[in-house]
């Protein structure tokens, strides 16, 4: 009996001692380096377009991201967009980014996965720091957001592999040149190649003074579409060509921003019509009233879907933003819109107001 009591007492003592001992679970370094972030853009927009006026609240974007490093040489990121419609072609939750990049050498980095196409200065910019109620029309139509070829909405992204880097440092150690070039499916996000013809996209820019970039970009490729012949039932693939170039300039200094880009495209649009050429141009200025706190801004934004003035749509925009903190920002904009794609000349012009509350975490 004493032996049994001794064993029971020893077991209870061991359990109590174990409970009092602090357990330290050491996580792998790569898990410790993982960061969760996200942002939301709540929007109200109204216009007085003739016989088609609208006003509505909207969740422009809501995104969540995980990113981190592996042994300092590798950077990775996964980002989801969690808002949208529930239509089959625009699901409410979708994968936006999923890539890894080897960054051991700043003059030669390799990225693979799904990420922003290396085309124009504005495309890779964060939607909040881009500065206006939307990306410019030429970037939206000719860089893969709502592409004129009819490609699914892809937020300027595609699946592929890319190399990039900075080189030729000056006396102060600041690199003067940047290059980037990649090979992509040409179909947009979360989609395999259809016509087995890859897009090749690249760019280079020169940075003569701090804050200034002068760049040029090129893009050649196609978007494949599966088609069924109505008479024979035979299936085949139609390739819609994309041959584009962009000329870009930007100067950011002392909280001032000046940016302008021209994009030219050859290749049919989604309707495969004779609209073979398209182009667009924007120029903008963001000026501080209170540095890093309160800004006023203006943008001229033109897009022509067939490179003729009867297909032009132009936004003349003015606005302001106020930063309550680095994570909370209010934007207000007014635009006078001239849309010559509307058949009736008396209906070309209308007004648009946009208000956005943007937050990050």
């Amino acid at each position: 009996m004493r032996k049994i009591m001794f064993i029971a007492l020893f077991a209870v003592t061991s359990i109590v001692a174990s409970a009092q001992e602090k357990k330290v679970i050491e996580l792998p370094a790569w898990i410790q380096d993982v960061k969760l972030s996200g942002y939301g853009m709540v929007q109200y927009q109204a216009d007085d377009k003739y016989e088609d006026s609208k006003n509505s609240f909207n969740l422009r974007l809501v995104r969540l991201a995980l990113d981190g490093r592996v042994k300092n040489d590798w950077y990775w990121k996964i980002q989801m967009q969690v808002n949208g419609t529930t239509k089959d072609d625009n699901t409410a939750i979708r994968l936006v980014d999923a890539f890894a990049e080897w960054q051991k050498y700043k003059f030669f980095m390799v990225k693979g996965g799904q990420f922003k196409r290396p085309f124009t200065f504005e495309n890779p910019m964060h939607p909040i720091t881009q500065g206006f109620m939307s990306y410019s029309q030429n970037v939206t139509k000719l860089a893969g957001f709502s592409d004129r070829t009819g490609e699914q909405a892809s937020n300027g992204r595609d699946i592929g592999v890319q190399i990039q880097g900075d080189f030729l440092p000056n006396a102060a150690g600041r690199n003067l040149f940047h290059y980037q070039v990649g090979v992509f499916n040409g179909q947009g996000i979360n989609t395999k190649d259809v016509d087995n013809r890859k897009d090749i996209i690249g760019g280079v820019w020169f940075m003569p003074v701090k804050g200034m970039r002068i760049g040029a970009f090129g893009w050649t490729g196609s978007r494949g579409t599966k088609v069924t012949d109505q008479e024979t039932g035979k299936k085949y693939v139609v390739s819609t060509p994309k041959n584009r170039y962009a000329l870009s300039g930007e100067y950011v200094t002392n909280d001032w921003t000046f940016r302008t880009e021209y994009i030219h495209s050859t290749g049919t649009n989604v309707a495969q019509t004779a609209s073979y050429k398209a182009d667009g141009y924007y120029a903008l200025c963001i000026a501080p009233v209170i540095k890093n706190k309160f800004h006023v801004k203006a943008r001229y934004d033109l897009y022509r879907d067939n490179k003729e003035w009867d297909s032009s749509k132009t936004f003349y925009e003015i606005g302001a933003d106020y930063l309550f903190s680095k994570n909370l920002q209010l934007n207000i904009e007014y635009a006078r819109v001239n849309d010559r794609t509307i058949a009736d000349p008396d209906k070309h012009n209308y007004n648009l107001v946009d208000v956005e509350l943007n937050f990050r975490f």
Side-chain angles (χ1 to χ4, degrees):
M1 186 68 179
R2 289 181 180 179
K3 185 177 181 180
I4 294 173
M5 292 181 62
F6 177 77
I7 294 174
L9 180 62
F10 178 78
V12 171
T13 304
S14 300
I15 292 171
V16 172
S18 177
Q20 291 177 341
E21 183 183 352
K22 292 183 179 179
K23 295 291 185 180
V24 178
I25 301 175
E26 187 173 344
L27 297 175
W30 71 270
I31 293 181
Q32 294 175 354
D33 291 337
V34 174
K35 293 181 292 184
L36 171 67
S37 61
Y39 63 93
M41 307 179 77
V42 183
Q43 180 183 55
Y44 172 79
Q45 194 169 91
D47 68 60
D48 62 356
K49 192 174 182 180
Y50 187 79
E51 294 183 345
D52 189 27
S53 62
K54 312 180 277 295
N55 73 86
S56 179
F57 292 102
N58 177 46
L59 291 177
R60 180 183 161 191
L61 284 175
V62 180
R63 288 181 177 167
L64 297 173
L66 288 173
D67 71 300
R69 291 192 169 274
V70 180
K71 296 183 178 179
N72 293 323
D73 292 344
W74 288 89
Y75 170 77
W76 61 270
K77 182 175 183 178
I78 298 174
Q79 183 171 219
M80 305 292 294
Q81 184 165 319
V82 297
N83 70 303
T85 68
T86 55
K87 295 179 181 178
D88 292 338
D89 60 345
N90 188 19
T91 53
I93 300 177
R94 63 180 181 270
L95 181 67
V96 179
D97 289 295
F99 66 84
E101 184 173 37
W102 183 61
Q103 298 180 339
K104 185 173 184 178
Y105 303 107
K106 294 301 179 183
F107 62 86
F108 183 78
M109 297 183 288
V110 183
K111 181 188 292 187
Q114 181 167 286
F115 51 90
K116 284 280 191 177
R117 290 163 162 142
F119 192 71
T120 77
F121 285 162
E122 188 167 277
N123 180 28
M125 291 181 179
H126 193 285
I128 296 177
T129 56
Q130 177 272 138
F132 286 81
M133 61 182 170
S134 65
Y135 290 86
S136 58
Q137 293 180 92
N138 59 355
V139 171
T140 300
K141 293 294 185 181
L142 303 175
F145 284 76
S146 179
D147 203 275
R148 75 186 299 265
T149 61
E151 172 190 294
Q152 64 177 326
S154 296
N155 302 102
R157 293 166 167 85
D158 203 349
I159 306 172
V161 61
Q162 171 185 293
I163 60 171
Q164 65 175 336
D166 299 296
F167 64 99
L168 197 61
N170 62 11
R174 182 177 59 81
N175 287 302
L176 299 179
F177 284 93
H178 174 88
Y179 73 92
Q180 52 190 34
V181 62
V183 180
F184 302 87
N185 279 342
Q187 299 295 130
I189 61 174
N190 307 321
T191 307
K192 292 182 178 180
D193 202 346
V194 174
D195 61 3
N196 297 321
R197 298 170 59 184
K198 300 298 182 284
D199 284 14
I200 300 174
I201 309 172
V204 61
W205 59 77
F206 173 51
M207 299 167 280
V209 297
K210 186 177 180 180
M212 178 180 287
R213 298 188 292 171
I214 301 171
F217 301 83
W219 179 345
T220 183
S222 65
R223 175 209 175 216
T225 306
K226 294 180 179 179
V227 178
T228 301
D229 190 289
Q230 297 299 318
E231 294 183 0
T232 65
K234 183 179 179 180
K235 295 181 179 181
Y236 60 96
V237 173
V238 173
S239 293
T240 303
K242 292 177 284 186
N243 296 294
R244 299 167 179 174
Y245 69 84
L247 302 174
S248 309
E250 182 185 60
Y251 186 44
V252 180
T253 180
N254 201 28
D255 206 28
W256 286 75
T257 299
F258 302 90
R259 188 167 68 251
T260 183
E261 297 191 275
Y262 173 77
I263 307 177
H264 183 277
S265 174
T266 60
T268 51
N269 61 10
V270 61
Q272 298 288 328
T273 67
S275 178
Y276 194 71
K277 293 182 179 180
D279 69 351
Y281 169 79
Y282 76 87
L284 64 83
C285 174
I286 303 174
V289 178
I290 303 174
K291 188 176 181 180
N292 299 320
K293 190 77 173 179
F294 177 36
H295 305 86
V296 292
K297 58 187 71 175
R299 179 171 69 172
Y300 172 82
D301 181 9
L302 164 72
Y303 175 70
R304 303 188 299 175
D305 194 54
N306 65 11
K307 206 182 174 184
E308 298 292 343
W309 286 105
D310 61 1
S311 70
S312 69
K313 188 174 184 179
T314 308
F315 287 75
Y316 304 88
E317 301 170 58
I318 57 172
D321 64 57
Y322 186 82
L323 285 76
F324 298 98
S325 70
K326 66 179 182 178
N327 294 324
L328 185 64
Q329 177 177 324
L330 177 67
N331 294 345
I332 301 175
E333 284 186 56
Y334 164 78
R336 180 66 171 174
V337 184
N338 177 260
D339 187 354
R340 299 191 185 184
T341 64
I342 299 173
D344 188 343
D346 295 331
K347 303 176 184 177
H348 283 176
N349 299 308
Y350 60 92
N351 304 292
L352 186 151
V353 174
D354 182 274
V355 181
E356 294 186 18
L357 183 66
N358 304 325
F359 59 90
R360 315 186 201 206
F361 63 87

